[in-house]
Short mmCIF file of all heavy atoms in Angstrom, two decimals:
data_model
loop_
_atom_site.label_atom_id
_atom_site.label_comp_id
_atom_site.label_asym_id
_atom_site.label_seq_id
_atom_site.Cartn_x
_atom_site.Cartn_y
_atom_site.Cartn_z
N PRO B 8 -20.87 -12.47 12.92
CA PRO B 8 -21.41 -13.79 13.32
C PRO B 8 -20.27 -14.75 13.69
O PRO B 8 -19.15 -14.61 13.22
CB PRO B 8 -22.12 -14.28 12.04
CG PRO B 8 -21.55 -13.47 10.94
CD PRO B 8 -21.10 -12.18 11.53
N ILE B 36 -15.03 0.95 -0.66
CA ILE B 36 -14.88 2.06 -1.60
C ILE B 36 -16.24 2.34 -2.29
O ILE B 36 -16.63 3.49 -2.45
CB ILE B 36 -13.77 1.78 -2.64
CG1 ILE B 36 -12.41 1.81 -1.91
CG2 ILE B 36 -13.82 2.76 -3.80
CD1 ILE B 36 -11.22 1.58 -2.78
N GLY B 55 -13.11 -19.44 9.65
CA GLY B 55 -12.31 -20.58 9.14
C GLY B 55 -12.35 -20.72 7.63
O GLY B 55 -12.08 -21.79 7.08
N GLU B 65 -7.73 -32.71 -5.44
CA GLU B 65 -8.14 -31.31 -5.69
C GLU B 65 -7.38 -30.33 -4.81
O GLU B 65 -6.94 -30.68 -3.70
CB GLU B 65 -9.59 -31.15 -5.28
CG GLU B 65 -10.61 -31.47 -6.33
CD GLU B 65 -11.99 -31.08 -5.81
OE1 GLU B 65 -12.26 -31.16 -4.57
OE2 GLU B 65 -12.80 -30.67 -6.63
N PRO B 81 3.25 -22.64 -1.31
CA PRO B 81 4.27 -23.46 -1.98
C PRO B 81 3.71 -24.30 -3.13
O PRO B 81 4.44 -24.60 -4.08
CB PRO B 81 4.81 -24.36 -0.87
CG PRO B 81 4.00 -24.13 0.35
CD PRO B 81 3.16 -22.89 0.14
N THR B 107 -9.39 -10.53 -0.74
CA THR B 107 -9.53 -11.98 -0.77
C THR B 107 -9.83 -12.52 -2.18
O THR B 107 -10.28 -11.85 -3.07
CB THR B 107 -10.69 -12.40 0.16
OG1 THR B 107 -11.92 -11.93 -0.38
CG2 THR B 107 -10.48 -11.90 1.59
N LEU B 121 -7.56 -12.79 -10.93
CA LEU B 121 -7.47 -14.22 -10.64
C LEU B 121 -8.50 -15.02 -11.41
O LEU B 121 -8.35 -16.21 -11.65
CB LEU B 121 -7.70 -14.41 -9.13
CG LEU B 121 -7.10 -15.65 -8.47
CD1 LEU B 121 -5.63 -15.81 -8.84
CD2 LEU B 121 -7.26 -15.56 -6.97
N PHE B 148 -21.15 -19.61 -12.96
CA PHE B 148 -21.41 -18.69 -11.84
C PHE B 148 -21.38 -17.23 -12.29
O PHE B 148 -22.15 -16.40 -11.90
CB PHE B 148 -20.36 -18.94 -10.75
CG PHE B 148 -20.50 -18.05 -9.54
CD1 PHE B 148 -21.54 -18.20 -8.66
CD2 PHE B 148 -19.54 -17.07 -9.31
CE1 PHE B 148 -21.66 -17.39 -7.53
CE2 PHE B 148 -19.65 -16.24 -8.18
CZ PHE B 148 -20.73 -16.40 -7.30
N THR B 155 -23.60 -12.28 -10.70
CA THR B 155 -23.29 -13.72 -10.64
C THR B 155 -24.57 -14.50 -10.33
O THR B 155 -25.64 -13.92 -10.13
CB THR B 155 -22.29 -14.02 -9.52
OG1 THR B 155 -22.96 -13.82 -8.25
CG2 THR B 155 -21.06 -13.16 -9.58
N GLU B 156 -24.45 -15.82 -10.30
CA GLU B 156 -25.62 -16.69 -9.96
C GLU B 156 -25.83 -16.76 -8.46
O GLU B 156 -26.71 -17.49 -8.00
CB GLU B 156 -25.38 -18.10 -10.51
CG GLU B 156 -25.41 -18.22 -12.02
CD GLU B 156 -26.85 -18.09 -12.56
OE1 GLU B 156 -27.79 -18.22 -11.77
OE2 GLU B 156 -26.96 -17.89 -13.79
N ALA B 178 -0.01 -20.05 -17.34
CA ALA B 178 0.69 -18.75 -17.41
C ALA B 178 -0.36 -17.67 -17.35
O ALA B 178 -1.50 -17.86 -17.76
CB ALA B 178 1.48 -18.63 -18.72
N SER B 191 -6.20 -4.14 -14.78
CA SER B 191 -5.81 -4.68 -16.12
C SER B 191 -6.50 -3.94 -17.28
O SER B 191 -7.73 -3.73 -17.25
CB SER B 191 -6.16 -6.15 -16.20
OG SER B 191 -5.26 -6.91 -15.45
N VAL B 195 -4.70 -12.17 -19.51
CA VAL B 195 -4.89 -13.42 -20.23
C VAL B 195 -4.29 -14.57 -19.39
O VAL B 195 -3.21 -14.42 -18.79
CB VAL B 195 -4.12 -13.38 -21.57
CG1 VAL B 195 -4.02 -14.75 -22.22
CG2 VAL B 195 -4.81 -12.40 -22.53
N ALA B 208 -8.35 -18.07 -21.23
CA ALA B 208 -9.40 -17.16 -20.70
C ALA B 208 -8.86 -15.74 -20.72
O ALA B 208 -7.67 -15.51 -20.49
CB ALA B 208 -9.85 -17.58 -19.33
N ARG B 252 -8.71 3.86 -19.97
CA ARG B 252 -7.43 3.12 -19.91
C ARG B 252 -6.90 2.77 -21.29
O ARG B 252 -5.69 2.77 -21.51
CB ARG B 252 -7.60 1.83 -19.10
CG ARG B 252 -7.84 2.11 -17.64
CD ARG B 252 -7.55 0.92 -16.78
NE ARG B 252 -7.73 1.29 -15.39
CZ ARG B 252 -8.89 1.36 -14.78
NH1 ARG B 252 -10.02 1.02 -15.41
NH2 ARG B 252 -9.00 1.75 -13.51
N ALA B 253 -7.80 2.40 -22.23
CA ALA B 253 -7.31 2.01 -23.54
C ALA B 253 -8.47 1.99 -24.55
O ALA B 253 -9.63 1.92 -24.13
CB ALA B 253 -6.69 0.60 -23.49
N ALA B 264 -1.83 -10.68 -29.22
CA ALA B 264 -0.40 -10.89 -28.87
C ALA B 264 -0.24 -11.62 -27.55
O ALA B 264 0.60 -12.51 -27.42
CB ALA B 264 0.27 -9.50 -28.79
N MET B 265 -1.10 -11.29 -26.58
CA MET B 265 -0.92 -11.88 -25.24
C MET B 265 -1.35 -13.33 -25.20
O MET B 265 -0.76 -14.15 -24.49
CB MET B 265 -1.67 -11.06 -24.21
CG MET B 265 -0.99 -9.69 -23.93
SD MET B 265 -2.06 -8.55 -23.06
CE MET B 265 -2.17 -9.36 -21.43
#
Side-chain angles (χ1 to χ4, degrees):
Chain B
I36 290 179
E65 275 187 327
T107 66
L121 206 49
F148 179 71
T155 68
E156 291 287 345
S191 286
V195 168
R252 292 199 177 81
M265 288 166 68

